């Protein structure tokens, strides 16, 4: 088989399964509206949960950062790419979340890959929630350690797997809020069984940071735990991009020696760190609190309305409110009809979610207005007829 044939075959398989993915460019920002080709839709597919990607103070902080530092960081953090802006943001983040240290990464994907690759050895075992993000599961399966997956949110099964004999060390892995279902992990139980087994716990709180907990400190704060490794990302509620690992002094020093994604990759632009500092200030402020409040009102309104329409929701209290529809073709057709009705959302299909559970992934943001939620519900009612 030639390269050409192999690629064509893979593409054809995807097309035949209604699983072919493509992208379409937007003309303007990604807040309440999606604007493209001179048309606009209400946007129910972004992760900008607090609407901060359009926040004037944060946009202006990025501009000022670029004036002071220029556009790029010029190298890896180990060479020229670590600025006072990076340092200040790491310190403020660590202080806010109650950890000795925070280390910045250019993305959540890179942070998860780096931590798992740097920490685990052949004799070790990773025990991860079955629905963990691709960046975690992929890192775990690439790692030389043994990978075991526990049923979604099943801390009893986690305990059973951790109790099996192992030569090395154990790392339990889960998320604060799951990307495709929007539900929360039972973090207190998970932390307790992991501690009993003498392992470490890593929590990826990409969807909880900024949104849940006191002042938006995230899922771990909301559930009163402090994992050994906490990963937070800035592409969602922070409205920017990048990520950080919160950990002890020793783990931070270790990652600075051994995390290849830090050492062999250009660090984020200093101007972005300036903007992240401003985003953190907004998240902690009354403005941030009002945004969280608004978001939670939208979530309740959507769930009440969807229940009245008898839509199949998940057990989610978060900004991610998937409507399960089953078949890929049906999810695609419904998403297209909703677009015709002015509401933009995406059909999420296997392999991102289990087969037979294709869904319309609705995400809500503080930027939406009450009437937007009602309009989405009306459109959903309409397309079902
Ligand atoms: C979005 C997401 C990531 C990836 O973060 P990026 O910064 O977008 O690379 C990792 N984990 C989870 C749970 C996510 O939802």
């Amino acid at each position: 088989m030639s390269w050409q044939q192999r690629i064509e075959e893979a593409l054809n398989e995807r097309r035949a399964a209604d699983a072919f993915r493509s992208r379409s460019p937007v003309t303007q920002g990604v807040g309440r509206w999606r604007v493209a080709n001179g048309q606009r839709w209400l946007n129910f597919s972004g992760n900008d949960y607090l609407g901060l990607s359009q926040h004037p103070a944060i946009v202006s902080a990025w501009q000022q950062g670029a004036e002071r530092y220029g556009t790029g960081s010029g190298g890896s953090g180990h060479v020229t790419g670590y600025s006072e802006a990076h340092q200040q943001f790491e310190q403020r983040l660590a202080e806010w979340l109650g950890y000795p240290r925070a280390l910045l990464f250019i993305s959540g994907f890179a942070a998860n890959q780096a931590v798992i690759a740097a920490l685990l050895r052949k004799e070790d075992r990773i025990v991860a929630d079955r629905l963990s993000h691709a960046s975690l599961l992929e890192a775990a399966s690439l790692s030389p350690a043994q990978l075991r997956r526990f049923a979604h949110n099943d801390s009893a099964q986690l305990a059973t797997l951790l109790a099996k004999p192992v030569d090395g060390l154990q790392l339990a892995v889960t998320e604060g809020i799951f990307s495709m279902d929007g539900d929360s992990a039972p973090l207190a139980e998970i932390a307790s069984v992991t501690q009993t087994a003498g392992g470490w716990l890593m929590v990826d709180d990409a969807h909880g940071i900024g949104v849940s907990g006191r002042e938006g400190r995230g899922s771990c704060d909301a559930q009163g735990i402090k994992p050994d490794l906490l990963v937070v990302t800035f592409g969602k509620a922070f409205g920017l991009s990048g990520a950080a690992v919160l950990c002890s002094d020793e783990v931070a020093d270790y990652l600075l020696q051994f995390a290849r994604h830090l050492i062999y990759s250009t660090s984020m632009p200093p101007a972005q760190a300036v903007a992240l500092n401003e985003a953190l200030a907004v998240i902690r402020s009354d403005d941030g609190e009002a945004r969280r409040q608004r978001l939670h009102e939208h979530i309740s309104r959507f769930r009440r309305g969807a229940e009245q329409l008898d839509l199949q929701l998940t057990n989610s209290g978060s900004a991610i409110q998937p409507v399960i529809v089953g078949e890929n073709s049906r999810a695609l057709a419904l998403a297209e009809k909703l677009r015709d009705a002015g509401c933009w959302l995406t059909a999420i299909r296997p392999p991102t979610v289990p087969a037979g559970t294709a869904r319309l992934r609705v995400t809500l943001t503080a930027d939406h207005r009450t009437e937007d939620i009602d309009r989405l519900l009306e459109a959903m009612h309409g397309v079902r007829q």
Side-chain angles (χ1 to χ4, degrees):
M1 187 191 276
S2 68
W3 281 105
Q4 194 75 20
Q5 283 165 331
R6 182 192 290 181
I7 286 164
E8 268 171 27
E9 207 167 88
L11 291 176
N12 288 337
E13 262 171 38
R14 276 286 164 100
R15 287 195 185 93
D18 284 321
F20 193 77
R21 300 161 192 244
S22 59
R23 306 174 303 171
S24 66
V26 298
T27 319
Q28 256 180 38
V30 285
R32 180 181 173 216
W33 297 103
R34 178 189 174 93
V35 182
N37 297 325
Q39 248 184 303
R40 71 174 195 182
W41 296 262
L42 279 169
N43 179 20
F44 292 103
S45 61
N47 294 328
D48 184 12
Y49 304 132
L50 299 179
L52 297 190
S53 76
Q54 313 289 316
H55 196 289
I58 303 172
V59 172
S60 151
W62 192 313
Q63 287 164 340
Q64 285 164 21
E67 269 158 35
R68 170 165 170 197
Y69 290 103
T71 50
S73 68
S76 149
H78 288 63
V79 189
T80 63
Y82 188 61
S83 68
E84 283 176 3
H86 292 93
Q87 184 184 42
Q88 191 178 62
F89 181 57
E90 286 181 344
Q91 284 170 353
R92 287 195 185 158
L93 193 69
E95 206 178 304
W96 182 52
L97 295 173
Y99 281 81
R101 295 276 282 280
L103 288 184
L104 288 179
F105 285 80
I106 54 164
S107 73
F109 202 103
N112 286 337
Q113 300 270 312
V115 168
I116 289 175
L119 287 176
L120 286 135
R121 299 185 182 165
K122 192 167 179 291
E123 63 272 25
D124 301 337
R125 182 193 287 141
I126 307 177
V127 189
D129 188 289
R130 187 165 281 287
L131 295 190
S132 297
H133 191 261
S135 56
L136 292 164
L137 289 178
E138 190 186 274
S141 58
L142 290 175
S143 122
Q146 180 189 54
L147 167 62
R148 287 287 174 269
R149 298 188 288 175
F150 61 96
H152 181 48
N153 283 346
D154 187 343
S155 46
Q157 197 185 15
L158 169 64
T160 308
L161 291 168
L162 289 171
K164 301 206 161 133
V166 63
D167 290 337
L169 302 171
Q170 303 203 83
L171 182 69
V173 174
T174 191
E175 294 181 20
I177 292 172
F178 285 83
S179 344
M180 293 303 144
D181 285 43
D183 58 340
S184 301
L187 291 174
E189 280 169 42
I190 285 177
S192 145
V193 304
T194 306
Q195 195 177 19
T196 303
W200 268 9
L201 174 61
M202 171 176 183
V203 175
D204 174 346
D205 200 24
H207 298 281
I209 194 72
V211 178
S212 43
R214 293 165 304 150
E215 278 187 1
R217 285 184 179 88
S219 306
C220 295
D221 180 77
Q223 297 194 43
I225 69 151
K226 204 141 145 206
D228 305 282
L229 296 148
L230 169 63
V231 176
V232 297
T233 72
F234 309 124
K236 283 133 191 170
F238 271 71
L240 282 128
S241 76
V245 176
L246 284 296
C247 57
S248 67
D249 276 316
E250 293 74 21
V251 172
D253 286 341
Y254 179 90
L255 290 173
L256 285 170
Q257 317 308 312
F258 299 110
R260 305 171 70 79
H261 298 67
L262 278 183
I263 302 166
Y264 299 107
S265 185
T266 303
S267 64
M268 72 169 60
Q272 185 179 337
V274 175
L276 282 166
N277 244 319
E278 185 60 33
L280 176 57
V282 172
I283 283 173
R284 301 185 66 171
S285 71
D286 290 348
D287 179 5
E289 197 54 44
R291 286 167 187 266
R292 281 188 286 279
Q293 178 76 31
R294 218 156 47 234
L295 173 62
H296 285 112
E297 282 162 16
H298 293 339
I299 295 168
S300 310
R301 191 177 187 89
F302 177 77
R303 286 187 71 85
R304 272 199 312 275
E307 275 159 18
Q308 279 166 11
L309 293 178
D310 250 343
L311 298 177
Q312 193 190 340
L313 297 177
T314 61
N315 178 27
S316 162
S318 74
I320 305 165
Q321 291 292 333
V323 177
I324 313 282
V325 301
E327 291 309 311
N328 288 1
S329 53
R330 184 165 143 80
L332 287 172
L334 288 172
E336 198 173 314
K337 283 191 189 168
L338 287 168
R339 287 174 192 181
D340 292 343
C343 296
W344 189 281
L345 43 77
T346 37
I348 305 277
R349 293 155 284 163
T352 309
V353 294
T357 71
R359 61 198 66 189
L360 300 169
R361 184 166 178 272
V362 174
T363 55
L364 303 172
T365 94
D367 260 358
H368 286 127
R369 304 199 182 148
T370 307
E371 65 257 34
D372 301 345
I373 312 300
D374 294 344
R375 185 156 158 212
L376 173 63
L377 289 164
E378 273 162 36
M380 288 192 152
H381 182 56
V383 302
R384 279 209 316 177
Q385 303 293 308

